[in-house]
């Protein structure tokens, strides 16, 4: 027993020595840990102003676990990155956007300089490049600052350029006015280019394509920029003198003196009609009295496009006349409807199949407009919005802008304030991502809609389809 007690005392003394040594080791480690914690905390506070908090578990506080310098640096970096992630992303996006815009404007400046190059090919390439930029982007500030430079360059291209260059310059002039919109800036462009455009149109030696392009530009720039009513009337009179040469003194088979100029006269008639839509009621009344009796002569023209243009112009004039007088009556209504019915059911074998199909489709609508005051409404979608074309006036205006803007017409309908004002769409609408997502229909709903439309279309066509193939099966 005494031995065992000695052993136990020895073991106790050994244990106490071990505990003392381990206590010293722990105290040293705790000192080091405290120093590490102090150093780490100071680093965190200086970089992220973060504070060390005790880890809470089960409602009791536990001592903070020591961590190394490497852990401190990782923690610091992670917290710094978390705090600055959003800010850096926004700043990066803004920087990228500004850089892209600067690069885009730098290229445009180069194209403007190239408009004065000695090489005709270089000038034409520059004109086409600027045209593409103006159809795909709104550049109001950029253009306003350089409108005089652009106008002077366009004048030179129109005066000294070949046919292709004149066409490209005329098209760019229309886009320039549409970009700037109604105001002093576009009025200056119109007044500077108006004499040159008229000179090219009247020049019999100029190419027909260039003259036709200048007619369109003259009408569109007047539609956008003419602030004084005298400018509007003088431009309309100039265009009227062009297409009225189509009215023969004695009605002939073609109804045309010079079939070579058909496209020029047709474009003049379209642009003249466009300007008529913004005239006061008193002027519209005079035009109806003068041209309604003569326009049906053009329905006998051999050119299918001229016949279609004359028919659509007649439908628009009837629409304007009925807006002025609800009980408007045309004197030679029977003769006119007879002509329209003949064109709507034309089966002349000497005419091309595509021409007859196009003509019949248009004149069915024209006949309904003249007889029943009806218009086949259309829907134009651009982004989440839609526009209803429910009149001949709106159809002509949309077709004109679509011809000039091309694939960029939807973009301008969404963003261009002037274009939206013309079609009475109100100011541009801004949608966030969530709203745009909610507006989209699901793939399944789209599939159901397409299936129903396909079945309805098949059923409608089956009624009109020739059943002679079924007769062969009977035998």
């Amino acid at each position: 027993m005494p031995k065992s007690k000695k052993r136990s005392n020895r073991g106790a003394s050994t244990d106490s020595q071990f505990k003392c040594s381990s206590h010293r080791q722990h105290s040293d480690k705790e000192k080091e840990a405290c120093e590490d914690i102090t150093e780490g905390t100071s680093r965190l506070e200086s970089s992220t102003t973060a504070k060390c908090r005790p880890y809470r578990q089960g409602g009791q506080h536990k001592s903070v676990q020591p961590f190394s310098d490497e852990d401190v640096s990782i923690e610091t970096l992670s917290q710094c990155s978390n705090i600055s992630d959003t800010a850096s992303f926004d700043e990066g996006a803004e920087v990228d956007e500004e850089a892209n815009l600067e690069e885009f404007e730098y290229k445009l400046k180069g194209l403007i300089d190239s408009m004065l190059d000695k090489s005709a090919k270089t000038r034409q390439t520059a004109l086409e490049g600027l045209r593409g930029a103006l159809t795909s982007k709104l550049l109001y500030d950029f253009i306003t600052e350089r409108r005089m430079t652009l106008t002077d360059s366009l004048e030179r291209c129109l005066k000294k350029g070949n046919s292709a260059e004149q066409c490209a310059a005329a098209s760019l002039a229309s886009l320039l006015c549409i970009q700037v919109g109604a105001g002093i800036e576009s009025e200056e462009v119109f007044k500077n280019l108006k004499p040159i455009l008229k000179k090219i149109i009247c020049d019999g030696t100029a190419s027909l394509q260039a003259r036709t392009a200048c007619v369109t530009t003259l009408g569109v720039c007047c539609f956008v920029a003419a602030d004084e009513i005298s400018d509007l009337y003088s431009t309309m009179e100039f265009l009227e003198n062009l297409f009225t040469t189509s009215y023969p003194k004695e009605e002939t088979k073609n109804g045309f003196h010079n079939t070579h100029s058909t496209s020029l006269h047709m474009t003049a008639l379209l642009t003249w009609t466009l300007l008529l839509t913004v005239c006061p009621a008193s002027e519209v009344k005079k035009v109806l009295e003068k041209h309604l009796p003569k326009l049906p002569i053009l329905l006998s023209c051999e050119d299918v496009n001229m016949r279609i243009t004359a028919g659509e112009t007649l439908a628009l004039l009837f629409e304007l006349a009925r807006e002025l007088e609800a009980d408007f009556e045309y004197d030679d209504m029977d003769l006119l409807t007879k002509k329209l019915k003949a064109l709507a059911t034309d089966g002349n074998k000497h005419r091309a199949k595509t021409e007859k199909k196009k003509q019949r489709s248009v004149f069915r609508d024209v006949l309904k407009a003249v007889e029943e005051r009806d218009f086949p409404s259309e829907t134009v979608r651009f982004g989440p919005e839609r526009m209803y074309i429910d009149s001949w006036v709106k159809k002509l205006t949309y077709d004109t802008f679509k011809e000039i803007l091309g694939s960029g017409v939807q973009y301008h309908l969404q963003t261009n304030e002037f274009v939206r004002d013309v079609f009475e769409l109100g100011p541009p609408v801004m949608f966030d991502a969530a709203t745009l997502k909610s507006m989209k229909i699901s793939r399944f709903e789209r599939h159901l809609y397409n299936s129903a439309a396909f079945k309805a279309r098949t059923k409608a066509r089956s009624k009109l389809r020739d059943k002679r193939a079924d007769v062969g099966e009977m035998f």
Side-chain angles (χ1 to χ4, degrees):
M1 292 295 295
K3 288 182 180 180
S4 63
K5 284 182 180 181
K6 286 182 182 179
R7 284 176 185 171
S8 63
N9 291 335
R10 193 182 295 123
S13 63
T14 305
D15 290 341
S16 63
Q17 290 174 4
F18 178 75
K19 286 179 180 178
C20 290
S21 64
S22 64
H23 179 71
R24 284 195 300 272
Q25 288 175 3
H26 278 295
S27 62
D28 293 338
K29 287 182 180 180
E30 286 177 359
K31 286 181 181 179
E32 291 177 3
C34 288
E35 291 175 1
D36 289 342
I37 291 170
T38 306
E39 185 179 357
T41 305
S42 63
R43 289 182 186 177
L44 284 172
E45 287 178 350
S46 62
S47 60
T48 63
T49 66
K51 295 181 180 181
C52 293
R53 294 185 178 89
Y55 179 74
R56 188 183 297 269
Q57 184 178 5
Q60 296 180 354
H61 292 283
K62 288 194 174 184
S63 60
V64 179
Q65 297 295 326
F67 45 87
S68 64
D69 290 342
E70 185 179 357
D71 295 331
V72 172
S73 63
I74 292 172
E75 183 72 18
T76 305
L77 287 172
S78 65
Q79 292 200 27
C80 285
S81 63
N82 287 336
I83 290 171
S84 61
D85 266 350
T86 306
S88 64
F89 178 77
D90 293 339
E91 289 174 3
E94 289 177 4
V95 169
D96 288 343
E97 189 176 351
E98 289 178 3
N100 291 336
L101 184 61
E102 287 179 3
E103 185 180 357
F104 183 72
E105 290 185 352
Y106 178 77
K107 289 179 180 178
L108 290 181
K109 291 174 186 175
L111 291 174
I112 293 172
D113 293 338
S114 298
M115 289 173 68
L116 301 175
D117 196 87
K118 292 182 179 179
S119 170
K121 188 175 181 181
T122 303
R123 292 197 302 271
Q124 188 177 343
T125 303
L127 289 167
E128 290 172 354
L130 285 168
R131 184 184 181 280
L134 266 62
T135 54
S136 61
K137 260 188 181 305
L138 274 182
L139 302 166
Y140 177 82
D141 294 332
F142 181 86
I143 290 172
T144 305
E145 293 171 2
R146 298 165 180 81
R147 69 179 185 280
M148 295 309 298
T149 304
L150 281 165
T151 306
D152 293 340
S153 301
L154 286 172
E155 283 184 29
R156 181 173 176 177
C157 291
L158 287 168
K159 285 179 179 178
K160 299 183 178 181
N162 55 22
S163 175
E165 187 177 339
Q166 285 176 329
C167 291
S171 178
L172 184 59
S174 298
L175 283 167
L176 194 62
C177 286
I178 291 174
Q179 280 270 350
V180 175
I184 299 172
E185 295 86 359
S186 59
E187 192 176 358
E188 287 178 358
V189 174
F190 172 58
K191 288 186 174 180
N192 287 330
L193 296 180
K194 184 179 178 180
I196 303 166
L197 293 170
K198 284 186 174 181
K199 186 177 180 181
I200 295 172
I201 293 167
C202 296
D203 185 6
T205 60
S207 72
L208 188 61
Q209 290 81 6
R211 294 172 71 192
T212 304
C214 288
V215 166
T216 302
T217 299
L218 180 66
V220 170
C221 290
C222 182
F223 180 84
V224 175
D227 186 47
E228 298 177 4
I229 197 71
S230 57
D231 289 333
L232 177 64
Y233 288 165
S234 64
T235 305
M236 286 186 68
E237 185 180 358
F238 177 81
L239 295 170
E240 185 180 349
N241 291 333
L242 280 176
F243 76 82
T244 49
T245 57
S246 307
Y247 298 157
K249 293 180 181 178
E250 294 180 3
E251 192 170 349
T252 60
K253 182 182 177 182
N254 294 338
F256 247 85
H257 290 297
N258 185 4
T259 54
H260 178 69
S261 304
T262 305
S263 61
L264 179 67
H265 297 164
M266 183 185 69
T267 307
L269 178 59
L270 281 171
T271 50
W272 173 83
T273 311
L274 177 70
L275 296 179
L276 181 64
T277 62
V278 292
C279 282
S282 57
E283 184 66 19
V284 173
K285 207 166 186 178
K286 292 177 185 177
V287 166
L288 292 172
E289 292 174 359
K290 183 178 180 180
H291 289 283
L292 261 183
K294 296 180 180 180
L295 267 174
I297 298 172
L298 300 181
L299 298 175
S300 302
C301 177
E302 285 191 350
D303 188 280
V304 64
N305 292 317
M306 189 62 185
R307 292 197 300 272
I308 289 171
T309 302
E312 291 180 337
T313 303
L314 278 169
L316 189 144
L317 291 180
F318 269 85
E319 185 176 86
L320 292 177
R322 284 162 178 163
E323 285 179 2
L324 294 175
E325 298 177 18
D327 55 348
F328 171 79
E329 291 184 4
Y330 182 62
D331 294 336
D332 298 327
M333 192 68 169
D334 293 337
L335 181 62
L336 178 60
T337 52
K338 187 178 178 181
K339 276 188 176 182
L340 294 176
K341 284 176 182 177
L343 291 167
T345 58
D346 188 10
N348 194 332
K349 293 181 180 180
H350 299 289
R351 288 174 181 165
K353 188 176 180 181
T354 52
E355 285 187 6
K356 288 187 288 185
K357 185 178 179 181
K358 183 180 179 182
Q359 176 183 287
R360 286 196 294 262
S361 174
V362 171
F363 277 97
R364 280 195 294 267
D365 296 335
V366 172
L367 185 62
K368 285 182 180 179
V370 172
E371 282 189 326
E372 306 171 14
R373 308 187 180 202
D374 187 27
F375 178 82
S377 60
E378 303 174 22
T379 304
V380 178
R381 291 181 175 84
F382 45 97
E385 298 178 88
R386 62 183 64 189
M387 177 179 70
Y388 297 101
I389 300 176
D390 51 3
S391 67
W392 289 98
V393 171
K394 206 167 187 179
K395 181 181 184 301
L396 174 61
T397 310
Y398 175 73
D399 288 345
T400 304
F401 276 82
K402 187 179 179 181
E403 182 184 352
I404 296 164
L405 295 170
S407 59
V409 66
Q410 293 189 347
Y411 172 78
H412 281 267
L413 282 170
Q414 283 184 276
T415 57
N416 191 320
E417 290 186 6
F418 169 74
V419 175
R420 292 181 68 87
D421 185 51
V422 168
F423 293 102
E424 300 177 345
L425 296 171
V429 182
M430 304 300 292
F431 293 100
D432 56 7
T435 306
L436 288 173
K437 190 175 180 181
S438 65
M439 287 180 175
K440 292 182 179 178
I441 62 172
S442 66
R443 183 179 295 180
F444 179 67
E445 290 174 335
R446 190 162 59 247
H447 171 71
L448 290 177
Y449 173 79
N450 291 335
S451 298
F454 177 76
K455 288 178 183 178
R457 187 166 59 248
T458 305
K459 190 179 291 185
R461 287 177 179 175
S462 65
K463 294 178 182 179
L464 302 174
R465 191 174 291 122
D466 191 3
K467 300 295 184 180
R468 284 179 294 181
D470 298 334
V471 177
E473 294 178 3
M474 293 173 65
F475 297 97

